[in-house]
Amino acid sequence: MSLFKERQYLRVHVDREPDDSLWMKCKSCGELVFKRRVRENSNVCPSCGEYFFQTSQERLESILDPGSYEPFGERLAANDPLSFTDSRAYQERVAEAQAKTGLDDAILIGRGAIEGIPVVIGVMDFRFIGGSMGSVVGEQICRAIEASIADRRGFVLISSSGGARIQEGMFSLLQMAKTVTVRRRLAEAGLPFVSVMTYPTTGGVEASIASLGDIIIAEKGAMIGFAGRRVIEQTIAEELPAHFQTESFALERGQIDRVVRREDLRSELAVALGFFVGAR
Amino acid sequence: MSLFKERQYLRVHVDREPDDSLWMKCKSCGELVFKRRVRENSNVCPSCGEYFFQTSQERLESILDPGSYEPFGERLAANDPLSFTDSRAYQERVAEAQAKTGLDDAILIGRGAIEGIPVVIGVMDFRFIGGSMGSVVGEQICRAIEASIADRRGFVLISSSGGARIQEGMFSLLQMAKTVTVRRRLAEAGLPFVSVMTYPTTGGVEASIASLGDIIIAEKGAMIGFAGRRVIEQTIAEELPAHFQTESFALERGQIDRVVRREDLRSELAVALGFFVGAR
Amino acid sequence: MTDERTLDLLEAKIEELRQLNAMDGMDLSKEIARLEEKLAVLRQDLYSNLTDWERVRIARHPKRPYALDYIASVFSDFYELRGDRIVGDDRALLAGLARLEGRPVALLAQQKGRTTEENKERFFGMTRPQGYRKAKRVMELAERFGLPLVSLIDTSGAYPGVESEELNIGGAIAENLQTMAGLRVPTVAVVIGEGGSGGALAIGLADRVLMLENAIYSVITPEGAAAILWKDKERAREAATALQMTAPHLLELGLIDGVVPEPLGGAHKNPAITSAALKEAVVHHVNELAAFPLDQLLAARYARYRNVGRYSARPVTDS
Amino acid sequence: MTDERTLDLLEAKIEELRQLNAMDGMDLSKEIARLEEKLAVLRQDLYSNLTDWERVRIARHPKRPYALDYIASVFSDFYELRGDRIVGDDRALLAGLARLEGRPVALLAQQKGRTTEENKERFFGMTRPQGYRKAKRVMELAERFGLPLVSLIDTSGAYPGVESEELNIGGAIAENLQTMAGLRVPTVAVVIGEGGSGGALAIGLADRVLMLENAIYSVITPEGAAAILWKDKERAREAATALQMTAPHLLELGLIDGVVPEPLGGAHKNPAITSAALKEAVVHHVNELAAFPLDQLLAARYARYRNVGRYSARPVTDS
Ligand SMILES: [Zn+2]
Ligand SMILES: [Zn+2]
């Protein structure tokens, strides 16, 4: 059964590069593993447990009940409010990212169900310009939250983002304010927000919506922090502790509620959301 | 002009021990100083700045506008709910403290004005069984707050307390809950609470009402903390940092807003309260 | 009076006889039955009139069930939430969501350690500012979603260390009290072992306050009171009595709402029975409170804490 | 074009001539007047069409007035409130109460240091979690008493250090945003120098956002953008232009509400005039906002931030 209903307007390239081989070699343990097996195992090596990169589409597939995903109707794409060009034009970067990922921007949002519990879910995708939050990501998060309120469902956001999208300048920074402003409404409506932090959840995303979950779950292997390692190392001219900004660092430091293995994320979310089903 | 209006039911022994001499010798600088001068100077040595102990009556006198103090009508005294006796009977301790201080218990409360701003004020007195908070102190703080609300005046509490009054057992511990419960009402009424911490503000008083000021001011020379030094030293088997639990420690650690010299406390309170005059 | 150790020896002997009886052909069943009766009588004697100090010792008994021993049987689906979102995560105060007969609740639980290793991690069950701030966060979560809050109290006190003072432990306790005073959900607190002063009260300002039969709840430890008031640490036993810190005393003084019975000799003699009694009590009180309109609940809580304390009007004299 | 240093030299020469003129009998007044005219023209040329990079340099000018330089003249009775009540007191973000033309307000102000000593204390004006949490505390104080909140923003960014991450600086910024989003009092933020990314926004989610004419406000420093996007730190000047971080650009983009004029050459050329302009702007906006009913104020704030951003509908294609 396919997770993604066949809809013309959402073309999902679950396999990033078309590849006819049925088998892949795990970089960690060297075993040849059956690709479909890896997919079904949340992109975790069935042999050694190594985590392979998971796209937003793959994440949806591994978390939502089969066939339950319904993307929102309207597709949005980045504008270029500053006519921004660095070594390349922003518009080119966006077009390339769209082509590479099959996504409109760095987030997928829609309705779905997790072990039967209806949710609205957003999944960020690091492949799309570092998962950065520009106007589209900000707007989509707001629409997702508004749909949560309208449908009285919990909201789940799976972050994978380096932070703000520099190329949109202040428009991008203000998405922090935007998402948080709308997040408040969810709280006022008495609906839960479960924030899932993956590799990486940093910068302006970490310092806004992602840190405001009623429950914050980090995936094993996540990177969590505000400032980048390089910036900090330059500032303090010291080497950083080994597990700095890892999920275990965040747990010890009281920044997150729980760490879960990717394979368990689905059941974890079901348990967490279950407490709020029928909440006032 | 006398601060204390002549009321039969409030006998204030401002001079703890009757002493006919007009002069006293400062223990710090050795100067002979004119006693009245010391009194007028908030019990600070006019020669070297050394702080002498200030009773609750003296504190009222140095803070309130002359003639403005009006104690509440009903006098309360400690009950002995546990019929408690240690090396001595609790009732004896209370009687002795009453005789020594001229107070009913470890707090004086009443209405008054500070540079023309009407307030309700409570001043704890360390001489009375270590300024400990038993049922009377808890009840008086609540009545003071209720008077603040009724009169729409700010509330000032000057703490000088080692904590809960052991001899009243759980009744004493629950005064923490009691005072905080009533303090919430003051906040809901939009009236300010300025908490002044002096030497010492510790234990159950520090861990309840005293730490909940909208503004927290520490007097220079204050001791501020929850656990006693001795207990901590036993727990960690280490010597404590030199300025541990001093007012400068509390300031550095973000626990208080300001440190003021005793001579400036009156004007400090007037400025602080002034911001809230006519507040909603 | 026979002491606990002697009874344990007798019990062991009876067990040996029972094994002998099973192994061999000889019939000792009558003798065994008689011994068992005798043991029961002795036990009853020993335990039914516990002194205050004996209760203190049971409350602190190293085999006494701790919070996690109850959580698994009283609640289902305990889902731990960690961290204060500021400084760290305190393992001496656990927080989370759970189900109580199916009803989602928020849970705070002070947890002692049993092994040296565990005690190091849990600071001997003494809560630090990180724990109180986590508790506050979960209180607010409970409020946001209308979940009843249940606290299991078991600590000799807040952790007295340099870091605790640096992190404003007094302020953290005060804020918890203020939060609980107005929390817009039903709240039930149960002292399951030691209720140590402000460190316990910080999660105990509740609509209903219960104690296990052999739990204690006090403004200061008996040892602390002995040192301060009697100037002699050895007089803790006297202090324990004078402070009226046991459940029966506090019920009589009107300061708690109920006592949860323990099996003879204390909860550790039969954790399952204790757990069942605890569950019954918590379910009863949560259900009762949940049936109240919220404004009545808050008014009752306000009245309860506004009026706690005993004092007298002092007559005007001219002495 | 003549640069700033040459103009300063010319100004010095004119001053010398003026002294000579006063001393001696000879009358140079005409010549001096002519030189002054010339100087004014040159200055106008130089400053009136500042490039983006020149504004960046003015925004960071070591002589630029910092928050405390304005506070004394814009407000009266600044009454500082210190500490986050948890961990410490950040000297790079000052908070307190003050009066604005007599009206009590709450004030947040990021403060850079001028001397090495001061910079050490103030972490070069970069705010730490302690500062953000203090700000949140004072925001809530403002709300409790209905005091308008004024923020003066001046930071190159939140302090990027190990301790900042340990103390969850991202979480602290997020909580401030959430607090400001719903704060039930009028809020005005003014970028007076550098508005450095999330570190600035954390006290800047306001009903009115103003900038001094030569202030900058950006998602990233020009140097940071150059390093990441151009892979060349030296191209900060280009980045500054591309990011549209100056006040005129941001006004044109509709992201801020007003620009407070500075004297030719920047605020440091005449702090008193700048201060007067700043005061006028703050008073104007606070008064205007205070006249709104609270629910309208909150609705307008909601709409503003809900709708910020530019995107397009993506047409369905079969490409
Ligand atoms: Zn492998
Ligand atoms: Zn002296």
Side-chain angles (χ1 to χ4, degrees):
Chain A
M1 195 188 221
S2 160
L3 175 74
F4 295 95
K5 292 181 179 169
E6 289 306 323
R7 289 212 184 178
Q8 210 192 353
Y9 56 78
L10 188 82
R11 302 178 311 114
V12 178
H13 302 265
V14 175
D15 292 299
R16 281 134 291 168
E17 286 150 35
D19 181 354
D20 295 328
S21 72
L22 295 171
W23 299 83
M24 61 181 283
K25 191 172 178 177
C26 170
K27 266 183 270 180
S28 175
C29 67
E31 284 287 308
L32 270 183
V33 287
F34 193 37
K35 269 193 179 175
R36 220 187 68 193
R37 185 76 206 290
V38 171
R39 261 287 281 292
E40 288 169 357
N41 198 36
S42 306
N43 281 30
V44 178
C45 173
S47 164
C48 74
E50 175 77 5
Y51 284 25
F52 305 133
F53 180 82
Q54 212 180 17
T55 66
S56 50
Q57 298 96 333
E58 286 163 348
R59 279 202 179 277
L60 281 176
E61 188 176 14
S62 71
I63 287 170
L64 293 184
D65 296 347
S68 72
Y69 182 63
E70 284 181 66
F72 289 178
E74 196 185 7
R75 295 175 62 177
L76 304 179
N79 208 316
D80 182 13
L82 308 186
S83 305
F84 193 92
T85 297
D86 46 72
S87 55
R88 293 173 55 197
Y90 176 43
Q91 287 186 314
E92 269 177 49
R93 284 191 197 265
V94 169
E96 186 192 270
Q98 287 171 335
K100 184 178 74 178
T101 61
L103 301 169
D104 295 331
D105 207 301
I107 194 168
L108 276 179
I109 58 165
R111 292 179 181 80
I114 299 173
E115 298 191 0
I117 301 172
V119 296
V120 174
I121 190 167
V123 183
M124 303 184 74
D125 198 313
F126 191 70
R127 295 171 303 158
F128 201 106
I129 313 183
S132 55
M133 179 163 71
S135 298
V136 171
V137 171
E139 176 67 19
Q140 295 287 38
I141 289 174
C142 291
R143 291 189 182 188
I145 295 173
E146 286 163 348
S148 293
I149 297 170
D151 296 2
R152 296 205 62 75
R153 296 170 177 222
F155 174 52
V156 174
L157 178 65
I158 302 184
S159 298
S160 177
S161 171
R165 185 164 301 170
I166 301 172
Q167 293 89 346
E168 293 186 22
M170 278 298 288
F171 286 101
S172 166
L173 185 70
L174 288 167
Q175 301 309 306
M176 293 169 68
K178 174 169 177 163
T179 52
V180 169
T181 292
V182 177
R183 189 265 174 271
R184 273 185 71 99
R185 295 253 160 136
L186 191 72
E188 285 159 18
L191 292 163
F193 165 30
V194 181
S195 174
V196 181
M197 296 180 168
T198 74
Y199 183 95
T201 300
T202 58
V205 169
E206 197 257 355
S208 64
I209 188 71
S211 282
L212 295 175
D214 293 304
I215 295 174
I216 302 180
I217 296 168
E219 183 177 79
K220 202 161 160 294
M223 181 168 89
I224 297 165
F226 179 59
R229 282 186 80 97
R230 212 171 34 81
V231 176
I232 297 173
E233 275 168 341
Q234 282 170 3
T235 311
I236 62 168
E238 273 176 43
E239 224 169 298
L240 298 172
H243 77 321
F244 188 64
Q245 293 187 336
T246 61
E247 82 286 2
S248 70
F249 176 88
L251 189 69
E252 271 169 31
R253 296 294 170 174
Q255 300 175 8
I256 57 174
D257 288 299
R258 303 168 69 89
V259 172
V260 299
R261 294 185 307 166
R262 188 190 283 168
E263 310 89 288
D264 302 331
L265 187 51
R266 174 191 162 88
S267 59
E268 171 86 12
L269 286 170
V271 172
L273 291 162
F275 285 106
F276 306 102
V277 170
R280 66 166 172 212
Chain B
M1 193 188 221
S2 158
L3 174 74
F4 296 94
K5 293 182 179 168
E6 289 307 322
R7 287 212 187 179
Q8 211 193 350
Y9 55 78
L10 188 83
R11 300 176 314 114
V12 178
H13 301 265
V14 176
D15 292 298
R16 280 134 291 167
E17 287 150 35
D19 181 354
D20 295 327
S21 71
L22 295 171
W23 299 83
M24 62 181 283
K25 190 172 178 174
C26 171
K27 267 182 269 179
S28 175
C29 66
E31 284 287 306
L32 269 184
V33 287
F34 193 37
K35 271 193 178 174
R36 221 188 66 194
R37 186 74 206 292
V38 171
R39 263 282 285 290
E40 287 169 359
N41 198 36
S42 306
N43 281 29
V44 178
C45 174
S47 165
C48 73
E50 174 76 6
Y51 284 25
F52 305 133
F53 180 81
Q54 213 180 16
T55 67
S56 50
Q57 298 96 334
E58 286 163 348
R59 279 203 179 277
L60 282 176
E61 188 176 14
S62 71
I63 286 169
L64 294 183
D65 296 348
S68 71
Y69 182 63
E70 283 180 68
F72 289 176
E74 196 186 7
R75 295 174 62 178
L76 304 178
N79 208 316
D80 183 12
L82 309 186
S83 304
F84 193 92
T85 297
D86 45 75
S87 56
R88 292 174 57 198
Y90 176 44
Q91 287 186 313
E92 268 178 50
R93 284 192 197 266
V94 170
E96 187 193 89
Q98 287 171 335
K100 183 179 76 181
T101 62
L103 301 169
D104 295 331
D105 207 301
I107 194 168
L108 277 179
I109 58 167
R111 293 179 179 80
I114 299 174
E115 298 191 0
I117 302 172
V119 297
V120 174
I121 190 166
V123 183
M124 303 183 73
D125 198 313
F126 191 70
R127 294 173 303 158
F128 200 106
I129 314 184
S132 55
M133 178 163 71
S135 297
V136 171
V137 170
E139 176 67 20
Q140 295 288 36
I141 289 173
C142 292
R143 292 189 182 187
I145 294 173
E146 285 163 348
S148 292
I149 297 169
D151 295 3
R152 297 206 61 76
R153 298 170 176 219
F155 174 54
V156 174
L157 177 66
I158 301 184
S159 298
S160 178
S161 171
R165 185 165 300 169
I166 300 173
Q167 292 89 347
E168 293 186 21
M170 279 296 289
F171 286 101
S172 167
L173 185 70
L174 288 167
Q175 301 310 305
M176 293 171 68
K178 173 169 177 164
T179 52
V180 168
T181 292
V182 177
R183 189 266 173 271
R184 275 187 69 100
R185 294 253 160 135
L186 192 72
E188 286 159 17
L191 293 163
F193 165 30
V194 181
S195 174
V196 181
M197 295 179 169
T198 73
Y199 183 95
T201 301
T202 57
V205 169
E206 197 258 354
S208 65
I209 187 72
S211 282
L212 295 174
D214 294 304
I215 295 174
I216 302 179
I217 296 168
E219 183 177 82
K220 200 161 160 294
M223 181 168 91
I224 296 165
F226 178 59
R229 283 185 79 96
R230 211 172 35 82
V231 177
I232 298 173
E233 275 169 341
Q234 283 169 2
T235 311
I236 62 167
E238 272 176 44
E239 224 168 301
L240 298 172
H243 77 320
F244 188 66
Q245 294 186 336
T246 61
E247 82 287 2
S248 71
F249 176 88
L251 190 70
E252 273 169 30
R253 296 294 171 172
Q255 300 175 9
I256 57 175
D257 288 300
R258 303 168 68 88
V259 172
V260 298
R261 295 185 308 167
R262 187 190 284 167
E263 310 89 288
D264 302 331
L265 186 52
R266 175 191 161 87
S267 59
E268 171 86 13
L269 286 170
V271 171
L273 291 162
F275 286 105
F276 305 102
V277 170
R280 70 170 168 208
Chain C
M1 197 190 279
T2 326
D3 76 357
E4 194 171 0
R5 193 166 312 184
T6 318
L7 290 189
D8 288 348
L9 283 174
L10 177 56
E11 186 167 11
K13 286 293 158 210
I14 295 174
E15 182 56 31
E16 284 169 32
L17 285 174
R18 211 179 276 120
Q19 285 170 14
L20 204 63
N21 193 31
M23 255 170 24
D24 211 310
M26 63 178 156
D27 184 7
L28 298 172
S29 45
K30 261 189 195 162
E31 289 74 7
I32 290 173
R34 215 162 297 152
L35 279 170
E36 278 174 339
E37 263 170 53
K38 179 69 181 170
L39 176 64
V41 170
L42 288 171
R43 239 193 239 297
Q44 184 74 28
D45 273 4
L46 175 60
Y47 292 130
S48 55
N49 288 299
L50 293 173
T51 65
D52 291 332
W53 184 245
E54 282 161 347
R55 287 198 201 272
V56 170
R57 290 184 56 202
I58 293 174
R60 294 169 171 176
H61 197 288
K63 289 190 177 157
R64 189 168 178 84
Y66 296 151
L68 283 171
D69 300 312
Y70 294 121
I71 287 176
S73 47
V74 173
F75 302 92
S76 59
D77 303 336
F78 176 52
Y79 184 80
E80 194 184 351
L81 301 176
R82 291 177 62 170
D84 62 2
R85 301 276 204 264
I86 307 171
V87 168
D89 181 51
D90 186 351
R91 306 307 298 147
L93 194 156
L94 308 180
L97 303 173
R99 287 181 189 278
L100 180 67
E101 292 208 322
R103 179 203 294 272
V105 298
L107 185 59
L108 304 174
Q110 287 173 322
Q111 174 67 29
K112 294 179 175 177
R114 240 175 252 290
T115 63
T116 307
E117 192 55 35
E118 222 192 323
N119 267 318
K120 202 179 145 196
E121 187 195 359
R122 302 202 192 273
F123 285 70
F124 293 86
M126 291 182 279
T127 307
R128 291 173 299 144
Q130 294 90 321
Y132 293 119
R133 295 202 174 95
K134 170 169 65 177
K136 180 169 178 239
R137 182 171 77 78
V138 172
M139 289 172 195
E140 287 166 349
L141 184 76
E143 185 171 59
R144 210 151 58 243
F145 295 102
L147 308 178
L149 180 76
V150 178
S151 297
L152 302 182
I153 294 171
D154 192 11
T155 185
S156 61
Y159 183 71
V162 172
E163 194 209 45
S164 291
E165 299 290 328
E166 287 174 345
L167 294 175
N168 198 7
I169 191 163
I173 291 171
E175 294 227 347
N176 280 16
L177 294 175
Q178 185 158 258
T179 303
M180 290 195 90
L183 206 71
R184 302 176 63 78
V185 292
T187 52
V188 173
V190 190
V191 186
I192 59 172
E194 287 186 272
S197 192
L201 183 64
I203 60 167
L205 195 164
D207 294 315
R208 297 286 160 82
V209 181
L210 313 175
M211 289 176 73
L212 289 195
E213 190 181 339
N214 296 306
I216 54 172
Y217 197 1
S218 177
V219 67
I220 189 170
T221 59
E223 292 77 9
I228 293 173
L229 297 181
W230 279 263
K231 317 284 178 202
D232 179 358
K233 269 202 161 180
E234 302 307 308
R235 300 179 71 174
R237 189 185 292 241
E238 272 167 78
T241 298
L243 286 165
Q244 303 195 28
M245 55 175 63
T246 65
H249 282 306
L250 293 170
L251 188 67
E252 171 133 353
L253 291 170
L255 294 177
I256 61 172
D257 304 286
V259 176
V260 179
E262 296 184 26
L264 271 187
H268 59 289
K269 296 288 180 185
N270 196 332
I273 286 185
T274 315
S275 206
L278 176 61
K279 180 172 182 174
E280 191 188 322
V282 173
V283 167
H284 167 76
H285 286 285
V286 166
N287 285 345
E288 203 169 276
L289 293 169
F292 270 92
L294 189 60
D295 54 347
Q296 279 179 38
L297 191 77
L298 293 174
R301 190 188 304 155
Y302 186 85
R304 174 195 191 125
Y305 289 101
R306 169 64 187 87
N307 295 319
V308 68
R310 297 221 189 136
Y311 50 86
S312 311
R314 193 178 184 202
V316 178
T317 60
D318 263 295
S319 68
Chain D
M1 197 191 278
T2 327
D3 78 356
E4 194 172 359
R5 195 166 310 184
T6 319
L7 291 188
D8 287 348
L9 283 174
L10 177 55
E11 186 166 11
K13 286 294 157 211
I14 296 174
E15 182 55 30
E16 283 169 30
L17 285 173
R18 211 179 276 120
Q19 282 170 15
L20 206 63
N21 192 29
M23 254 166 27
D24 212 312
M26 60 176 159
D27 183 9
L28 298 171
S29 46
K30 263 192 195 157
E31 289 74 8
I32 290 172
R34 214 162 298 152
L35 278 170
E36 278 174 336
E37 264 170 50
K38 180 68 182 168
L39 176 64
V41 170
L42 288 171
R43 238 192 239 297
Q44 184 75 28
D45 274 5
L46 176 60
Y47 292 131
S48 55
N49 288 299
L50 293 174
T51 64
D52 290 333
W53 184 245
E54 282 161 347
R55 287 199 200 270
V56 170
R57 289 185 56 202
I58 293 175
R60 294 168 171 177
H61 198 287
K63 288 187 178 161
R64 188 167 179 84
Y66 296 151
L68 282 171
D69 300 312
Y70 295 121
I71 288 175
S73 48
V74 173
F75 303 92
S76 60
D77 302 337
F78 176 52
Y79 184 80
E80 193 182 351
L81 301 176
R82 291 177 62 171
D84 61 3
R85 301 276 202 264
I86 306 171
V87 168
D89 181 52
D90 187 351
R91 307 307 299 147
L93 193 157
L94 308 180
L97 304 172
R99 287 181 188 277
L100 179 68
E101 291 208 324
R103 179 203 294 273
V105 298
L107 184 60
L108 303 175
Q110 287 172 322
Q111 174 67 28
K112 294 180 174 177
R114 239 175 253 288
T115 63
T116 307
E117 192 55 32
E118 223 192 323
N119 266 319
K120 202 178 144 195
E121 186 194 0
R122 302 202 193 273
F123 286 69
F124 294 86
M126 292 182 278
T127 307
R128 290 173 300 143
Q130 294 91 321
Y132 293 118
R133 295 202 174 96
K134 171 169 65 178
K136 179 169 180 240
R137 182 171 77 80
V138 172
M139 289 172 194
E140 288 166 348
L141 184 76
E143 185 170 59
R144 209 150 59 242
F145 295 102
L147 307 178
L149 180 76
V150 178
S151 298
L152 302 181
I153 294 171
D154 192 11
T155 185
S156 61
Y159 183 72
V162 172
E163 194 209 46
S164 290
E165 299 290 329
E166 287 174 344
L167 294 175
N168 198 6
I169 192 163
I173 291 171
E175 293 227 348
N176 281 16
L177 293 174
Q178 184 157 258
T179 303
M180 290 194 90
L183 205 71
R184 302 176 62 79
V185 292
T187 53
V188 173
V190 190
V191 187
I192 59 172
E194 289 185 271
S197 192
L201 183 64
I203 60 166
L205 194 164
D207 294 316
R208 297 288 159 81
V209 181
L210 313 175
M211 289 176 73
L212 288 195
E213 189 180 340
N214 295 306
I216 54 172
Y217 198 0
S218 178
V219 66
I220 189 170
T221 59
E223 292 77 9
I228 293 173
L229 297 181
W230 280 263
K231 317 283 177 204
D232 179 359
K233 269 202 161 181
E234 302 307 306
R235 300 179 71 174
R237 187 184 294 240
E238 273 168 75
T241 299
L243 286 165
Q244 303 196 30
M245 56 175 63
T246 65
H249 283 305
L250 292 171
L251 188 67
E252 171 133 354
L253 291 171
L255 294 177
I256 61 170
D257 304 286
V259 175
V260 179
E262 297 184 26
L264 271 186
H268 59 288
K269 296 288 181 186
N270 196 331
I273 285 184
T274 315
S275 204
L278 176 60
K279 180 173 182 171
E280 191 188 322
V282 173
V283 168
H284 168 75
H285 286 284
V286 167
N287 285 345
E288 204 169 276
L289 293 169
F292 270 92
L294 189 60
D295 55 346
Q296 280 179 39
L297 192 78
L298 292 174
R301 191 189 304 156
Y302 186 85
R304 175 196 191 123
Y305 288 102
R306 169 63 187 87
N307 294 319
V308 68
R310 297 222 187 136
Y311 51 86
S312 310
R314 196 179 183 200
V316 179
T317 60
D318 263 295
S319 69

